[in-house]
């Protein structure tokens, strides 16, 4: 068990360091040598978990989706909003999210297949919207798949603008503005009036998730991907 735990921790360290390097340098300029130096692991340890730089980058992209956990809410559509605001907050503070964001939207590199990341995010959003629609929170006329692809594509664009202008510092505000303009087109009026979309919500939720994870067993929410029960006001 101790060996397994050590392997899990080593994998996470490699992912976080690689994500930071990808965020700073992009996929093409990032080198395995730089990642090894910063992570303080052997080449054998890295290649045990990730056979190539491409596999390492794809793992960072995959981890971005796994890292997003939200508390269950009475309104499922609120969980969708919360997931977006948590991601927006972590784009300013979390190495995995920052590195994955650059990998997902970076232009010019032909060595990395980003479709898996986009597909994973679309599936994640579509699942939440499907449940919202089944609960009667979303208008019957809404095509859930199309809405999911719209949100994922638009959020990628918001990230690009925020990165260019403020290094992601205003991405929560930009997402809130986007929600204000788009949620009225999919949510039933009775639900829309109850949604909380303020830009500071992501920071509060992230802090509560991490505090709850420590109380549960000392692991961060990013490592466990746990969704905690209870509503957040």
């Amino acid at each position: 068990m101790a060996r397994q735990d050590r392997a899990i921790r080593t994998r996470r360290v490699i992912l976080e360091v690689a994500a930071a390097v990808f965020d700073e340098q992009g996929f093409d300029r990032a080198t395995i040598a730089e990642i090894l130096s910063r992570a303080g692991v052997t080449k054998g340890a890295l290649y045990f978990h990730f056979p190539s730089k491409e596999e390492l980058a794809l793992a960072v992209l995959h981890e971005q989706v796994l890292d997003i956990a939200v508390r269950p809410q009475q309104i499922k559509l609120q969980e969708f909003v919360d997931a977006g605001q948590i991601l927006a907050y972590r784009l300013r503070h979390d190495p995995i999210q920052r590195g994955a964001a650059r990998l997902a939207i970076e232009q010019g590199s032909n060595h990395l297949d980003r479709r898996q990341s986009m597909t994973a995010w679309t599936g994640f959003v579509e699942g939440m919207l499907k449940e919202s629609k089944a609960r009667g929170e979303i208008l019957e006329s809404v095509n859930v798949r199309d809405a999911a692809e719209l949100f994922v594509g638009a959020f990628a664009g918001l990230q690009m603008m925020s990165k260019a202008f403020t290094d992601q510092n205003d991405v929560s505000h930009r997402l809130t503005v986007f929600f204000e303009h788009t949620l009225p087109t999919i949510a039933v009026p009775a639900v829309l009036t109850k949604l909380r979309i303020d830009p500071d919500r992501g920071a509060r939720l992230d802090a509560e998730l991490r505090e709850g994870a420590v109380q549960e067993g000392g692991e961060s929410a990013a490592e466990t991907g746990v969704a905690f029960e209870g509503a957040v006001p």
Side-chain angles (χ1 to χ4, degrees):
M1 181 62 72
R3 181 177 298 178
Q4 183 179 11
D5 290 343
R6 186 165 58 250
I8 291 172
R9 288 195 298 270
T10 298
R11 183 181 186 277
R12 185 69 187 190
V13 167
I14 294 170
L15 278 174
E16 291 187 351
V17 169
V21 175
F22 288 137
D23 178 42
E24 296 167 13
Q25 302 179 14
F27 179 78
D28 286 340
R29 292 178 56 207
T31 66
I32 292 294
E34 175 71 11
I35 294 168
L36 289 173
S37 175
R38 294 198 197 183
V41 301
T42 65
K43 185 180 294 186
L46 187 148
Y47 283 124
F48 172 79
H49 293 284
F50 309 104
S52 66
K53 186 172 78 168
E54 181 177 2
E55 289 295 323
L56 180 52
L58 290 174
V60 170
L61 287 167
H62 181 63
E63 200 75 15
Q64 183 187 34
V65 183
L66 295 179
D67 275 359
I68 299 300
V70 296
R71 290 177 181 265
Q73 302 287 331
Q74 291 182 344
I75 299 175
K76 188 67 179 181
L77 198 57
Q78 183 67 62
E79 294 180 30
F80 164 67
V81 172
D82 290 351
Q85 290 292 18
I86 289 172
L87 174 59
Y89 171 76
R90 290 183 181 173
L91 282 170
R92 306 197 305 274
H93 304 282
D94 186 275
I96 293 288
Q97 298 300 333
R98 289 181 64 88
R102 175 157 183 178
L103 289 171
I105 64 178
E106 184 178 33
Q107 302 298 308
S109 175
N110 297 318
H111 303 294
L112 187 63
D113 184 355
R114 298 169 177 81
R115 290 174 296 180
Q116 292 183 36
S117 174
M118 294 298 181
T119 299
W121 272 116
T122 301
F124 176 79
V125 173
E126 184 179 9
M128 301 187 88
L129 295 183
K130 275 185 177 179
E131 186 170 345
S132 296
K133 191 170 185 179
R135 293 185 181 188
E137 301 170 359
I138 290 179
L139 298 169
E140 282 297 322
S141 59
V142 173
N143 183 303
V144 171
R145 178 68 180 187
D146 288 346
E149 291 188 346
L150 170 65
F151 278 110
V152 171
F155 192 69
L158 291 176
Q159 291 178 50
M160 292 177 68
M161 288 191 67
S162 184
K163 180 72 173 177
F165 285 103
T166 67
D167 194 28
Q168 306 288 20
N169 286 323
D170 68 352
V171 67
S172 294
H173 169 72
R174 291 179 184 273
L175 181 61
T176 297
V177 173
F178 176 70
F179 279 149
E180 289 172 345
H181 285 77
T182 55
L183 288 175
T185 69
I186 70 168
V188 299
V191 169
L192 182 65
T193 60
K194 298 176 182 178
L195 295 176
R196 298 177 178 88
I197 60 174
D198 61 286
D200 296 326
R201 186 171 173 82
R204 295 197 304 272
L205 292 170
D206 182 74
E208 290 172 8
L209 285 169
R210 293 181 185 280
E211 181 181 353
V214 169
Q215 293 174 353
E216 287 290 324
E219 294 179 307
S220 71
E223 290 172 335
T224 60
V226 173
F228 296 91
E229 296 181 357
V232 177

